[in-house]
Amino acid sequence: SYVLAQPPSVSVAPGQTATIICGGTNIGDHSVHWSQQKPGQAPVLVVYDDSDRPSGIPERFSGSNSGNTATLTISRVEAGDEADYYCQVWDRPSDHVVFGGGTKLTVL
Amino acid sequence: EVQLVQSGGGLIQPGGSLRLSCTASGFMYNIYEMNWVRQAPGKGLEWISYISSSGNSISYADSVRGRFTISRDNAKNSLYLQMNSLRVADTAVYYCARFGKLNWYFDLWGRGTLVTVSS
């Protein structure tokens, strides 16, 4: 089955740029989606189809996807961005959703 | 308001059964594909089941296939998860989640309901 790998944690100072990667074999052939989850809350979609943002998501959130790596970039990080971030794809051969293990973003 | 309201859940003994419900409001439920996703305490998200808008296409994660059954009633704007032969490892917060119209991303989530399997 298809596997997505994320680093367990990323730390960044306020105002800096956070980069969260999601690795998978030929992930560039998939559409990658990113969700943000704060403690005790349901996840919220922040990027879909590699690089599109849902209504209401700040432009500071952006995404890219190529080769074996997809990336979520958060510019001008704020304290309120501290959360777990999950990448996700639809694996067509198995008709399954696949999540990455999640990355905890800490704002220093 | 566009939302998914969940009910069911609670404490159940190993081997027991439980049914979760998810009721949609504020949107045309019958055209959307739906899913169940769970999250064990302190762990990441785990997708467990999908159902097409008509209910004709269904898939399950290996961890629940043969024990859990997803279904929907479009007349009642509702999604269900029948969970049988529950195990301690099934302890988690269970979320219902809607797929977006154009691709397989989760654009709307319920608030989640806790299922605790323990003797």
Side-chain angles (χ1 to χ4, degrees):
Chain A
S1 60
Y2 196 69
V3 175
L4 296 176
Q6 297 183 239
S9 62
V10 167
S11 299
V12 64
Q16 299 303 303
T17 297
T19 300
I20 299 174
I21 64 170
C22 176
T25 302
N26 296 321
I27 195 174
D29 294 337
H30 293 76
S31 291
V32 178
H33 321 294
W34 293 89
S35 292
Q36 173 196 70
Q37 186 181 34
K38 296 181 179 179
Q41 298 184 19
V44 172
L45 184 70
V46 292
V47 168
Y48 67 97
D49 290 350
D50 298 338
S51 59
D52 290 336
R53 278 186 315 278
S55 173
I57 300 302
E59 292 183 6
R60 301 184 298 103
F61 288 81
S62 62
S64 64
N65 182 22
S66 179
N68 294 318
T69 304
T71 303
L72 173 68
T73 303
I74 309 171
S75 304
R76 302 179 301 282
V77 166
E78 304 173 355
D81 298 331
E82 191 163 278
D84 294 325
Y85 291 85
Y86 294 90
C87 58
Q88 173 249 312
V89 301
W90 174 264
D91 180 43
R92 184 169 288 280
S94 63
D95 273 349
H96 285 185
V97 171
V98 178
F99 283 106
T103 298
K104 180 177 181 59
L105 176 66
T106 299
V107 181
L108 301 170
Chain B
E1 180 184 358
V2 175
Q3 62 181 348
L4 298 171
V5 177
Q6 297 186 226
S7 60
L11 176 63
I12 188 77
Q13 291 188 337
S17 298
L18 207 57
R19 188 174 91 150
L20 306 183
S21 299
C22 171
T23 302
S25 61
F27 65 97
M28 288 184 63
Y29 174 73
N30 62 346
I31 66 172
Y32 284 91
E33 300 165 316
M34 299 294 295
N35 298 264
W36 289 98
V37 176
R38 71 183 180 183
Q39 186 170 37
K43 301 298 184 181
L45 300 173
E46 179 190 14
W47 169 84
I48 57 173
S49 188
Y50 154 89
I51 188 167
S52 63
S53 57
S54 66
N56 289 338
S57 181
I58 286 173
S59 63
Y60 297 98
D62 292 345
S63 58
V64 305
R65 185 179 296 111
R67 300 187 299 122
F68 290 11
T69 301
I70 190 173
S71 62
R72 64 190 296 161
D73 184 337
N74 286 344
K76 295 183 177 180
N77 288 347
S78 292
L79 175 74
Y80 306 101
L81 185 69
Q82 177 66 42
M83 304 185 294
N84 297 332
S85 303
L86 281 161
R87 306 167 179 168
V88 172
D90 295 319
T91 295
V93 174
Y94 285 73
Y95 295 99
C96 58
R98 186 182 80 175
F99 264 164
K101 266 189 196 177
L102 302 179
N103 207 343
W104 298 286
Y105 52 80
F106 300 107
D107 69 347
L108 181 67
W109 295 74
R111 296 182 69 174
T113 188
L114 177 62
V115 173
T116 303
V117 185
S118 174
S119 54

